[in-house]
Amino acid sequence: MANSLIVVESPTKVKTIKKFLGKDFNVVASMGHIKDLPKSTLGIDLEKDFEPTYNVIDTKKKTIDELQKAAKSAQNIYLAPDPDREGEAIAWHIADIIGAKKNKNIYRVLFNDLTKNTVLEAIGHPLQLDFDKYEAQQTRRILDRLVGYQISPVLWDKVKRGLSAGRVQSVAVRMICDREDEISKFIPEEYWNLTAQFEGINPPPFEAKLLKIDGKKAKVANGEEAQKLAAEIKKASFFVEKLEKKELKRSALPPFTTSKLQQEASRALRFSAKKTMSVAQKLYEGIELGKDGSVGLITYMRTDSYRIADEALTAVRSYIKENYSTDYLPRKPHEYKNAQKTQDAHEAIRPSTMAYKPQDIKEYLTPDQFKLYQLIWNRFVASQMNPAVFDQTTIDITGAGCTFRAQGQVMKFPGFTIVYTESKEEKEEENGNGTDKLLPLLKEQETLKLLKLDTQQKFTQPPPRYSEASLVRELEENGIGRPSTYAAILSTIQDREYVTLEKGKFFPTELGKVVTELLVHSFPTILDLAFTADMENKLDAIENGENKRVKTLHDFYKLFSKELDKAKDEMRNVKREETPTDLVCEKCGSPMVIKWGKNGRFLCCSNYPECKNTMNFTHDENGKVKHVETQTTDVKCNKCGKNMIVKEGRFGQFLACSGYPECKNTMNAAKNENGEIVAAEAPTTTEICELCGKPMAVKRGRYGQFLGCTGYPECKNIKRMGKDGKVTKQEVVLSDETCDICGKPMAVKRGRYGQFLGCTGYPECKNIKKMPKNKPAE
């Protein structure tokens, strides 16, 4: 029987680690967190130094039973969740449940990678649980709960139910809104570029751009100036005033940190930050590689450090020496300096071993896993290679008081670029200076012939909208969040519908703009970038033992509670606001006003509730409000026979009965081959309704897709669908209970408050009962 127990987070890690250990070790998974703050209440005692109340997560009760059973026979318990703050919290909660007062030897082990040497070394030299790191995690969790659970109800009251605010997510949305505001206020300025084509004694002809006029930086403001200057240039004689040749070296970039990996995967692979971290997690935990079993391919992927272990440097230098010429191998390993605020708890992201080349194991990896592993591999190898070397030539050409400049470069030695070159943002690519063009052999004072002169109108551009890569970079540079939180931030602000990602760029939604405006006005401290960054520094100080949780929370809440009390009384009540317009209701003749609803701003009749007329609106080129014409279709309502009209909802266009509010029937909309809007038929599935025997069809509701009986409205049976869009098969579990109204069997069903018994005679009989206490959950 195993005398030692190792607890990791995921089942994949169990397989990877087990093969390194003997029969004396039992390895089990906690499946992530086992405790958390309650969902239905604040869970923080404001009167007792913000003491948190942790509850066992409902879905983890079976896991806890299994952990406790495994711990009974073990004398030594090694807690090995991920080596970060969240992992430390998991370790503390596991220790509290399975061994805190049972005379067990409880240790903390940290795996930077899941190779045999690392695992055995960690178990051979176990650590104690890190209280300071746990305190830092608790502080962050409590701060986020205080902000989220106390600001959100204010937004429900003032804007609409279901909204949320977050200590870090709201700051990220503010950054996107601020950038959009900059773009909307930006006034483009005209300027002109002049590009000349010259020819010397030796071929080929080459282009040069206007650099200076009378010794000053060239500024050509309009077409008239450009044409006047061009006329003078065409009359002038030109010669080579200055010719400079020099050798340039471009050094390799350091290996990836979390933020740099997310940025590069976004640019090069078009991966979202969330997808990057998900794929990286699998590579870290282990991939089945045939006879080698489960192998952890990369080091821990949440890090802000460039540090590399000595044995890894030795391995990669040997790899470079064996696979490339010695010209590519530097005399000494490259050492990269960390930023001042780096935690340096883990190494940079690198292959855990050089034994598995990407191409050699491609057959075992998914396409996404291969792409990301190859990216990490190439960046790591390149980081320990010699610089690329270029010969750069710069030519200044003078005539008529104007100086033109041409630049070109020739690669002498590829260096690290033979393995890896960093991708660029689209704007960076567009603004490339073309330094790789071919130039002729020239001499200083050599006379040149002007072959052609082009003038090109340009306009200054506003700052670009954030991409995932540039937003992660901006968050990092401003000290907002930490490596483990970037992906969650970007995912959350989209899930909350505060921003959308369109063609790779973030746009704030109308809801995002309204909420951000309210929060910035009412919570200037919480929404301040510098304040948020300073709070991250305080969390780091707690982890380093230089600060205390209780003091940090008291200092924060002293400021926050004042703004919170003020916001409850003074925040604009957007729900009740009405903006007058010049439009008139076509149903009753009353003025139309702009109000805020669950799908944003809309026009409604000021005579509400007597008249419930509503319509969408837009603005014309002069900013004047105009209503969007209602589009009537030939589709007939299957309930009252009236024509259906096209409406806009949170999921796009749909058909609604023109007889509203007397008839509230709606249908999904689709377009036929002629582009006409018709009623979309819900796709039927192979699922059969167990109540009436008709096929089930895929439908969409407020909580996403579900299966609904095609016999609706006579049969209202529905079933859930999984997040992957597949049917979550749910057989009706019949109970021993019978309906005391109609005598039919009762079935186990699930509602918003959990399981209950419902009559199988539904909808004719709507009898329900509580689940008997002795009935096991399905």
Side-chain angles (χ1 to χ4, degrees):
M1 185 176 289
N3 186 45
S4 297
L5 174 67
I6 300 178
V7 184
V8 295
E9 282 187 51
S10 75
T12 308
K13 282 188 189 177
V14 172
K15 289 196 295 183
T16 305
I17 293 170
K18 259 186 176 179
K19 67 179 186 177
F20 304 140
L21 305 170
K23 60 183 179 180
D24 289 338
F25 286 88
N26 183 20
V27 187
V28 296
S30 72
M31 312 296 289
H33 281 278
I34 59 172
K35 283 185 174 184
D36 198 4
L37 297 172
K39 287 187 177 182
S40 57
T41 60
L42 182 64
I44 310 294
D45 194 331
L46 302 178
E47 305 300 323
K48 292 184 179 179
D49 290 335
F50 305 96
E51 191 64 30
T53 298
Y54 293 109
N55 294 339
V56 170
I57 299 171
D58 287 341
T59 57
K60 295 300 177 69
K61 289 178 180 177
K62 183 180 178 182
T63 301
I64 289 172
D65 289 341
E66 293 171 352
L67 290 174
Q68 289 174 329
K69 183 178 179 181
K72 277 183 182 179
S73 58
Q75 187 57 39
N76 300 314
I77 300 174
Y78 298 90
L79 303 178
D82 285 350
D84 57 13
R85 290 176 189 165
E86 292 300 313
E88 199 65 35
I90 293 170
W92 275 82
H93 291 158
I94 293 172
D96 180 57
I97 280 180
I98 70 173
K101 299 177 182 178
K102 298 174 184 176
N103 298 318
K104 303 287 185 181
N105 298 320
I106 297 181
Y107 304 105
R108 179 77 166 106
V109 288
L110 306 176
F111 300 142
N112 184 61
D113 58 61
L114 297 182
T115 56
K116 183 176 182 178
N117 288 342
T118 299
V119 171
L120 296 181
E121 175 70 18
I123 293 173
H125 299 86
L127 307 170
Q128 296 300 310
L129 290 167
D130 189 335
F131 180 71
D132 291 330
K133 186 180 283 189
Y134 177 44
E135 283 284 82
Q137 189 276 343
Q138 283 202 103
T139 307
R140 183 202 63 76
R141 187 75 182 92
I142 293 169
L143 285 169
D144 291 347
R145 175 56 65 101
L146 290 172
V147 172
Y149 271 50
Q150 293 192 294
I151 292 183
S152 296
V154 179
L155 294 176
W156 299 352
D157 180 50
K158 307 293 184 178
V159 186
K160 72 170 185 175
R161 288 195 64 82
L163 296 182
S164 72
R167 184 179 60 85
V168 179
Q169 76 177 45
S170 296
V171 175
V173 177
R174 178 186 184 173
M175 292 168 66
I176 294 169
C177 290
D178 286 350
R179 177 58 56 88
E180 196 67 24
D181 195 42
E182 287 180 65
I183 294 170
S184 65
K185 291 178 179 177
F186 182 82
I187 300 174
E189 292 184 8
E190 181 184 8
Y191 70 97
W192 287 69
N193 281 340
L194 276 73
T195 304
Q197 187 180 56
F198 294 103
E199 183 179 49
I201 297 172
N202 298 306
F206 64 98
E207 288 186 346
K209 287 188 175 182
L210 180 64
L211 180 70
K212 295 179 181 178
I213 301 174
D214 296 329
K216 297 179 181 179
K217 183 179 178 180
K219 290 184 179 179
V220 183
N222 52 55
E224 186 179 342
E225 286 184 22
Q227 295 306 318
K228 184 178 178 182
L229 185 61
E232 295 177 10
I233 290 171
K234 288 175 181 178
K235 298 174 187 175
S237 299
F238 289 89
F239 66 96
V240 177
E241 180 186 25
K242 182 180 177 183
L243 192 152
E244 184 181 58
K245 292 183 178 180
K246 60 182 178 181
E247 185 179 87
L248 292 180
K249 291 185 177 181
R250 192 197 313 163
S251 297
L253 293 165
F256 284 126
T257 59
T258 302
S259 67
K260 295 296 187 288
L261 176 62
Q262 290 173 354
Q263 292 171 47
E264 181 66 347
S266 174
R267 291 187 296 254
L269 307 179
R270 296 294 184 260
F271 283 9
S272 68
K274 184 177 180 180
K275 179 176 180 177
T276 298
M277 296 310 290
S278 175
V279 176
Q281 182 86 35
K282 291 181 174 66
L283 293 173
Y284 165 69
E285 291 181 349
I287 302 292
E288 289 288 338
L289 300 183
K291 61 181 176 58
D292 289 350
S294 183
V295 177
L297 291 173
I298 65 171
T299 54
Y300 190 57
M301 62 285 154
R302 295 185 182 93
T303 178
D304 57 1
S305 174
Y306 294 132
R307 178 170 54 83
I308 297 295
D310 290 341
E311 57 268 26
L313 287 174
T314 301
V316 71
R317 286 175 61 81
S318 296
Y319 174 84
I320 294 169
K321 189 175 181 180
E322 292 169 8
N323 291 272
Y324 303 91
S325 76
T326 53
D327 294 337
Y328 290 89
L329 186 67
R331 189 168 56 86
K332 294 192 303 184
H334 291 154
E335 291 186 18
Y336 296 95
K337 189 176 180 181
N338 287 326
Q340 188 176 356
K341 295 178 181 178
T342 299
Q343 292 177 290
D344 200 31
H346 314 294
E347 285 187 62
I349 303 169
R350 61 169 176 82
S352 58
T353 171
M354 301 303 293
Y356 296 103
K357 298 178 186 178
Q359 286 294 342
D360 291 349
I361 59 171
K362 186 174 181 179
E363 62 180 299
Y364 301 109
L365 304 176
T366 67
D368 288 342
Q369 289 169 352
F370 174 75
K371 289 175 187 175
L372 194 66
Y373 181 54
Q374 187 176 53
L375 191 69
I376 292 168
W377 176 282
N378 289 348
R379 173 92 164 213
F380 178 57
V381 172
S383 73
Q384 292 300 320
M385 297 179 83
N386 273 323
V389 183
F390 301 86
D391 273 341
Q392 179 172 287
T393 302
T394 302
I395 305 169
D396 285 352
I397 301 144
T398 300
C402 296
T403 300
F404 288 82
R405 174 167 288 179
Q407 277 189 325
Q409 65 182 25
V410 177
M411 180 181 285
K412 289 173 62 178
F413 175 65
F416 73 92
T417 64
I418 199 171
V419 175
Y420 171 82
T421 303
E422 187 178 45
S423 303
K424 295 183 181 295
E425 291 275 351
E426 290 176 11
K427 190 160 186 174
E428 291 174 351
E429 291 176 357
E430 291 170 7
N431 294 340
N433 55 19
T435 53
D436 58 348
K437 61 181 151 186
L438 187 64
L439 296 175
L441 184 64
L442 298 170
K443 297 178 181 178
E444 287 190 356
Q445 302 304 312
E446 180 178 335
T447 301
L448 301 177
K449 181 180 179 182
L450 177 65
L451 299 179
K452 187 170 66 171
L453 182 67
D454 291 329
T455 59
Q456 187 177 23
Q457 184 186 34
K458 293 276 190 177
F459 290 91
T460 55
Q461 296 296 309
R465 291 181 174 88
Y466 289 115
S467 63
E468 285 215 354
S470 60
L471 184 57
V472 168
R473 183 177 64 225
E474 197 77 6
L475 289 169
E476 183 181 36
E477 290 177 356
N478 283 280
I480 309 298
R482 283 296 180 263
S484 59
T485 63
Y486 298 138
I489 292 169
L490 269 58
S491 178
T492 299
I493 62 178
Q494 293 176 75
D495 292 343
R496 301 295 184 191
E497 297 181 357
Y498 290 145
V499 301
T500 58
L501 192 61
E502 300 173 23
K503 296 182 179 178
K505 301 293 183 182
F506 280 113
F507 290 77
T509 62
E510 188 172 14
L511 177 64
K513 291 178 183 177
V514 169
V515 170
T516 298
E517 180 190 342
L518 296 175
L519 292 179
V520 169
H521 184 265
S522 297
F523 297 93
T525 303
I526 307 304
L527 269 288
D528 181 68
L529 270 67
F531 178 84
T532 305
D534 183 59
M535 186 57 66
E536 296 293 346
N537 293 334
K538 288 178 179 176
L539 294 176
D540 292 345
I542 293 172
E543 180 172 343
N544 296 329
E546 300 164 359
N547 201 356
K548 296 297 179 184
R549 170 172 64 93
V550 173
K551 182 182 184 303
T552 302
L553 291 171
H554 274 291
D555 291 345
F556 168 82
Y557 203 72
K558 186 176 180 181
L559 291 169
F560 175 63
S561 58
K562 289 179 181 177
E563 293 183 350
L564 182 65
D565 291 339
K566 190 175 180 182
K568 289 176 181 177
D569 295 330
E570 299 180 10
M571 183 184 281
R572 280 172 48 210
N573 195 320
V574 177
K575 283 199 292 192
R576 296 181 181 177
E577 286 182 348
E578 293 185 355
T579 304
T581 70
D582 296 331
L583 300 177
V584 175
C585 175
E586 76 270 16
K587 291 190 176 181
C588 72
S590 299
M592 298 293 283
V593 295
I594 298 173
K595 294 197 73 171
W596 179 267
K598 62 181 180 180
N599 295 319
R601 298 186 189 278
F602 67 99
L603 281 172
C604 75
C605 182
S606 58
N607 193 30
Y608 180 87
E610 283 72 22
C611 178
K612 297 180 179 178
N613 187 26
T614 64
M615 58 183 75
N616 294 328
F617 72 93
T618 185
H619 293 89
D620 62 21
E621 61 275 8
N622 299 316
K624 191 174 181 180
V625 175
K626 65 175 185 178
H627 77 271
V628 177
E629 295 288 341
T630 300
Q631 184 179 351
T632 304
T633 70
D634 295 330
V635 180
K636 299 294 182 181
C637 175
N638 55 5
K639 289 188 176 181
C640 71
K642 292 184 178 178
N643 286 74
M644 303 294 281
I645 58 175
V646 180
K647 290 267 190 176
E648 196 80 30
R650 64 180 297 194
F651 298 114
Q653 290 183 328
F654 68 96
L655 295 177
C657 182
S658 58
Y660 180 86
E662 289 75 22
C663 179
K664 298 179 180 179
N665 188 27
T666 62
M667 301 178 186
N668 291 333
K671 288 186 178 179
N672 61 19
E673 61 275 8
N674 299 321
E676 299 168 336
I677 293 181
V678 296
E681 291 187 11
T684 56
T685 69
T686 55
E687 292 288 312
I688 301 297
C689 175
E690 66 276 357
L691 299 184
C692 71
K694 292 184 178 178
M696 304 290 281
V698 180
K699 298 190 176 184
R700 180 178 286 279
R702 63 182 300 187
Y703 300 113
Q705 289 185 325
F706 66 95
L707 285 182
C709 181
T710 53
Y712 180 87
E714 288 74 24
C715 179
K716 297 179 181 177
N717 188 25
I718 62 171
K719 292 184 181 181
R720 293 181 181 178
M721 293 186 70
K723 291 183 179 179
D724 56 1
K726 295 180 180 178
V727 177
T728 303
K729 297 210 172 183
Q730 298 174 326
E731 294 183 6
V732 173
V733 181
L734 297 177
S735 166
D736 295 334
E737 302 274 330
T738 55
C739 177
D740 47 18
I741 295 178
C742 71
K744 291 184 179 179
M746 301 293 279
V748 178
K749 298 193 176 185
R750 183 177 291 277
R752 61 184 300 188
Y753 300 113
Q755 291 180 326
F756 65 94
L757 293 179
C759 181
T760 54
Y762 181 88
E764 287 73 21
C765 179
K766 298 179 180 178
N767 186 26
I768 61 172
K769 293 181 180 181
K770 288 184 179 180
M771 281 286 292
K773 291 184 179 179
N774 60 343
K775 289 284 180 184
E778 59 183 31

